Short mmCIF file of all heavy atoms in Angstrom, two decimals:
data_model
loop_
_atom_site.label_atom_id
_atom_site.label_comp_id
_atom_site.label_asym_id
_atom_site.label_seq_id
_atom_site.Cartn_x
_atom_site.Cartn_y
_atom_site.Cartn_z
N GLY A 9 -9.66 1.44 22.45
CA GLY A 9 -8.68 0.51 21.87
C GLY A 9 -7.28 1.09 22.09
O GLY A 9 -6.84 1.91 21.25
N LEU A 10 -6.68 0.75 23.24
CA LEU A 10 -5.45 1.44 23.61
C LEU A 10 -4.24 0.52 23.56
O LEU A 10 -3.42 0.53 24.44
CB LEU A 10 -5.62 2.07 24.99
CG LEU A 10 -6.74 3.12 25.05
CD1 LEU A 10 -6.92 3.61 26.53
CD2 LEU A 10 -6.44 4.33 24.18
N ALA A 11 -4.15 -0.30 22.48
CA ALA A 11 -2.94 -1.06 22.23
C ALA A 11 -1.95 -0.05 21.66
O ALA A 11 -2.17 1.17 21.73
CB ALA A 11 -3.21 -2.21 21.30
N VAL A 12 -0.87 -0.49 21.02
CA VAL A 12 0.20 0.43 20.52
C VAL A 12 -0.35 1.60 19.74
O VAL A 12 0.00 2.72 19.91
CB VAL A 12 1.31 -0.31 19.74
CG1 VAL A 12 2.25 -1.00 20.68
CG2 VAL A 12 0.76 -1.21 18.69
N MET A 13 -1.25 1.28 18.74
CA MET A 13 -1.70 2.34 17.85
C MET A 13 -2.59 3.33 18.55
O MET A 13 -2.40 4.57 18.44
CB MET A 13 -2.46 1.74 16.65
CG MET A 13 -1.60 1.01 15.69
SD MET A 13 -0.41 2.06 14.82
CE MET A 13 -1.47 2.96 13.73
N GLY A 14 -3.61 2.82 19.27
CA GLY A 14 -4.57 3.69 19.91
C GLY A 14 -3.92 4.57 20.99
O GLY A 14 -4.20 5.74 21.09
N ASN A 32 -10.72 1.36 26.95
CA ASN A 32 -10.19 0.16 26.45
C ASN A 32 -11.00 -1.00 27.11
O ASN A 32 -11.37 -0.89 28.31
CB ASN A 32 -8.71 -0.03 26.76
CG ASN A 32 -8.08 -1.17 25.99
OD1 ASN A 32 -8.06 -1.12 24.79
ND2 ASN A 32 -7.61 -2.18 26.69
N ARG A 33 -11.21 -2.07 26.38
CA ARG A 33 -11.98 -3.19 26.89
C ARG A 33 -11.36 -3.62 28.23
O ARG A 33 -12.07 -3.82 29.23
CB ARG A 33 -11.95 -4.36 25.89
CG ARG A 33 -12.66 -5.60 26.41
CD ARG A 33 -12.65 -6.73 25.35
NE ARG A 33 -11.27 -7.15 25.06
CZ ARG A 33 -10.98 -8.12 24.19
NH1 ARG A 33 -12.00 -8.73 23.57
NH2 ARG A 33 -9.75 -8.46 23.97
N THR A 34 -10.06 -3.76 28.28
CA THR A 34 -9.37 -4.11 29.50
C THR A 34 -8.93 -2.81 30.16
O THR A 34 -8.04 -2.14 29.61
CB THR A 34 -8.15 -5.01 29.23
OG1 THR A 34 -8.60 -6.05 28.30
CG2 THR A 34 -7.59 -5.61 30.46
N LYS A 37 -5.19 -1.13 30.77
CA LYS A 37 -4.45 -0.41 29.75
C LYS A 37 -4.75 1.09 29.82
O LYS A 37 -3.90 1.92 29.52
CB LYS A 37 -4.83 -0.93 28.33
CG LYS A 37 -3.94 -2.11 27.97
CD LYS A 37 -4.08 -2.40 26.48
CE LYS A 37 -3.50 -3.76 26.22
NZ LYS A 37 -4.19 -4.54 25.21
N MET A 73 -9.74 2.06 17.72
CA MET A 73 -8.43 1.53 17.31
C MET A 73 -8.22 0.07 17.76
O MET A 73 -7.25 -0.26 18.46
CB MET A 73 -7.30 2.41 17.84
CG MET A 73 -7.13 3.75 17.16
SD MET A 73 -7.00 3.67 15.37
CE MET A 73 -5.42 2.90 15.15
N VAL A 74 -9.25 -0.72 17.48
CA VAL A 74 -9.19 -2.15 17.94
C VAL A 74 -8.76 -3.04 16.79
O VAL A 74 -8.68 -2.62 15.62
CB VAL A 74 -10.52 -2.62 18.55
CG1 VAL A 74 -10.87 -1.75 19.75
CG2 VAL A 74 -11.65 -2.64 17.51
N LYS A 75 -8.55 -4.26 17.13
CA LYS A 75 -8.16 -5.28 16.15
C LYS A 75 -9.23 -5.34 15.02
O LYS A 75 -10.38 -5.41 15.30
CB LYS A 75 -8.13 -6.63 16.91
CG LYS A 75 -7.28 -7.64 16.25
CD LYS A 75 -7.21 -8.82 17.24
CE LYS A 75 -6.64 -10.05 16.57
NZ LYS A 75 -5.25 -9.83 16.02
N ALA A 76 -8.75 -5.26 13.81
CA ALA A 76 -9.68 -5.16 12.65
C ALA A 76 -10.47 -6.46 12.54
O ALA A 76 -9.95 -7.53 12.84
CB ALA A 76 -8.91 -4.88 11.38
N GLU A 78 -13.89 -8.74 13.55
CA GLU A 78 -15.03 -8.87 14.47
C GLU A 78 -15.01 -7.86 15.66
O GLU A 78 -16.02 -7.44 16.10
CB GLU A 78 -15.08 -10.32 15.05
CG GLU A 78 -15.63 -11.29 14.03
CD GLU A 78 -15.37 -12.75 14.45
OE1 GLU A 78 -15.11 -12.99 15.64
OE2 GLU A 78 -15.46 -13.63 13.60
N ALA A 79 -13.79 -7.60 16.13
CA ALA A 79 -13.68 -6.68 17.26
C ALA A 79 -14.30 -5.34 16.89
O ALA A 79 -14.98 -4.69 17.75
CB ALA A 79 -12.23 -6.54 17.72
N ALA A 82 -17.94 -5.62 17.16
CA ALA A 82 -18.40 -5.70 18.57
C ALA A 82 -18.35 -4.33 19.19
O ALA A 82 -19.30 -3.95 19.90
CB ALA A 82 -17.42 -6.64 19.30
N VAL A 83 -17.36 -3.51 18.88
CA VAL A 83 -17.23 -2.20 19.47
C VAL A 83 -18.30 -1.28 18.96
O VAL A 83 -18.97 -0.52 19.68
CB VAL A 83 -15.80 -1.63 19.25
CG1 VAL A 83 -15.75 -0.17 19.58
CG2 VAL A 83 -14.77 -2.40 20.03
N GLU A 86 -21.53 -2.04 20.59
CA GLU A 86 -21.53 -1.61 21.97
C GLU A 86 -21.81 -0.07 22.09
O GLU A 86 -22.58 0.35 22.94
CB GLU A 86 -20.21 -1.99 22.61
CG GLU A 86 -20.18 -1.70 24.16
CD GLU A 86 -18.77 -2.00 24.74
OE1 GLU A 86 -17.89 -2.35 23.94
OE2 GLU A 86 -18.66 -1.86 25.96
N GLY A 100 -10.07 3.67 12.76
CA GLY A 100 -8.68 3.84 12.30
C GLY A 100 -7.95 2.51 12.11
O GLY A 100 -6.73 2.47 11.80
N GLY A 101 -8.67 1.38 12.26
CA GLY A 101 -8.01 0.07 12.07
C GLY A 101 -7.87 -0.27 10.62
O GLY A 101 -8.35 0.47 9.76
N ASN A 102 -7.20 -1.35 10.33
CA ASN A 102 -6.97 -1.79 8.97
C ASN A 102 -8.20 -2.60 8.47
O ASN A 102 -8.09 -3.80 8.21
CB ASN A 102 -5.72 -2.62 8.81
CG ASN A 102 -4.48 -1.76 8.49
OD1 ASN A 102 -4.67 -0.68 7.91
ND2 ASN A 102 -3.36 -2.24 8.88
N ALA A 103 -9.31 -1.96 8.36
CA ALA A 103 -10.54 -2.66 7.91
C ALA A 103 -10.53 -2.92 6.41
O ALA A 103 -9.94 -2.10 5.68
CB ALA A 103 -11.75 -1.86 8.32
N ILE A 127 -4.75 4.67 8.43
CA ILE A 127 -3.71 5.34 9.18
C ILE A 127 -2.44 4.60 8.93
O ILE A 127 -2.36 3.39 9.22
CB ILE A 127 -4.04 5.40 10.69
CG1 ILE A 127 -5.37 6.14 10.93
CG2 ILE A 127 -2.91 6.02 11.47
CD1 ILE A 127 -5.72 6.31 12.43
N SER A 128 -1.47 5.28 8.37
CA SER A 128 -0.21 4.61 8.09
C SER A 128 0.96 5.28 8.79
O SER A 128 0.91 6.42 9.17
CB SER A 128 0.10 4.69 6.58
OG SER A 128 1.35 4.04 6.36
N GLY A 129 1.92 4.43 9.12
CA GLY A 129 3.13 4.95 9.76
C GLY A 129 3.51 4.15 10.98
O GLY A 129 4.48 4.46 11.68
N GLY A 130 2.72 3.12 11.23
CA GLY A 130 2.98 2.26 12.44
C GLY A 130 2.85 3.02 13.73
O GLY A 130 2.27 4.10 13.76
N GLU A 131 3.43 2.49 14.79
CA GLU A 131 3.24 3.11 16.09
C GLU A 131 3.96 4.47 16.20
O GLU A 131 3.49 5.36 16.79
CB GLU A 131 3.61 2.19 17.22
CG GLU A 131 4.97 1.57 17.17
CD GLU A 131 5.27 0.65 18.33
OE1 GLU A 131 5.14 1.10 19.49
OE2 GLU A 131 5.62 -0.53 18.10
N LYS A 183 -5.89 3.14 1.64
CA LYS A 183 -4.92 2.54 2.64
C LYS A 183 -4.53 1.22 2.17
O LYS A 183 -3.33 0.77 2.22
CB LYS A 183 -5.49 2.56 4.02
CG LYS A 183 -4.58 1.78 5.08
CD LYS A 183 -3.34 2.52 5.35
CE LYS A 183 -2.26 1.80 6.14
NZ LYS A 183 -2.52 0.83 7.08
N LYS A 261 0.12 -9.75 6.70
CA LYS A 261 -1.15 -9.69 7.51
C LYS A 261 -2.42 -9.69 6.64
O LYS A 261 -3.48 -9.83 7.16
CB LYS A 261 -1.08 -8.38 8.39
CG LYS A 261 -0.33 -8.59 9.63
CD LYS A 261 -0.66 -7.46 10.58
CE LYS A 261 0.03 -7.61 11.93
NZ LYS A 261 -0.09 -6.29 12.62
P1 LIG B 1 -4.31 -4.77 17.85
O1 LIG B 1 -4.66 -4.99 16.46
O2 LIG B 1 -3.32 -5.76 18.49
O3 LIG B 1 -5.62 -4.79 18.73
C1 LIG B 1 -5.60 -4.74 20.16
C2 LIG B 1 -6.68 -3.82 20.69
O4 LIG B 1 -7.99 -4.30 20.25
C3 LIG B 1 -6.71 -3.83 22.18
O5 LIG B 1 -7.07 -2.55 22.64
C4 LIG B 1 -7.79 -4.80 22.51
O6 LIG B 1 -8.41 -4.65 23.79
C5 LIG B 1 -8.82 -4.47 21.41
N1 LIG B 1 -9.77 -5.53 21.15
C6 LIG B 1 -9.55 -6.75 20.57
N2 LIG B 1 -10.70 -7.42 20.54
C7 LIG B 1 -11.67 -6.66 21.07
C8 LIG B 1 -13.06 -6.81 21.29
N3 LIG B 1 -13.71 -7.94 20.89
N4 LIG B 1 -13.75 -5.80 21.89
C9 LIG B 1 -13.12 -4.69 22.25
N5 LIG B 1 -11.80 -4.47 22.11
C10 LIG B 1 -11.14 -5.47 21.49
O7 LIG B 1 -3.75 -3.33 18.17
P2 LIG B 1 -2.81 -2.35 17.31
O8 LIG B 1 -2.66 -1.17 18.15
O9 LIG B 1 -1.62 -2.99 16.76
O10 LIG B 1 -3.76 -1.96 16.04
C11 LIG B 1 -5.00 -1.34 16.16
C12 LIG B 1 -5.61 -1.21 14.79
O11 LIG B 1 -4.77 -0.41 14.00
C13 LIG B 1 -5.72 -2.55 14.07
O12 LIG B 1 -6.92 -2.51 13.32
C14 LIG B 1 -4.54 -2.53 13.15
O13 LIG B 1 -4.75 -3.32 11.98
C15 LIG B 1 -4.41 -1.04 12.82
N6 LIG B 1 -3.09 -0.65 12.41
C16 LIG B 1 -2.01 -1.11 13.07
C17 LIG B 1 -0.71 -0.68 12.71
C18 LIG B 1 0.47 -1.17 13.40
O14 LIG B 1 1.57 -0.79 12.96
N7 LIG B 1 0.35 -1.93 14.42
C19 LIG B 1 -0.57 0.35 11.60
C20 LIG B 1 -1.79 0.81 11.11
C21 LIG B 1 -3.00 0.30 11.47
P3 LIG B 1 -7.79 -5.44 25.07
O15 LIG B 1 -6.65 -4.63 25.52
O16 LIG B 1 -8.93 -5.46 25.95
O17 LIG B 1 -7.35 -6.78 24.56
#
Side-chain angles (χ1 to χ4, degrees):
L10 300 174
V12 283
M13 288 296 288
N32 191 64
R33 179 179 62 180
T34 312
K37 270 192 198 145
M73 287 307 292
V74 301
K75 205 171 165 60
E78 284 168 17
V83 168
E86 187 182 2
N102 269 333
I127 300 184
S128 176
E131 52 180 306
K183 172 68 190 333
K261 276 195 176 166

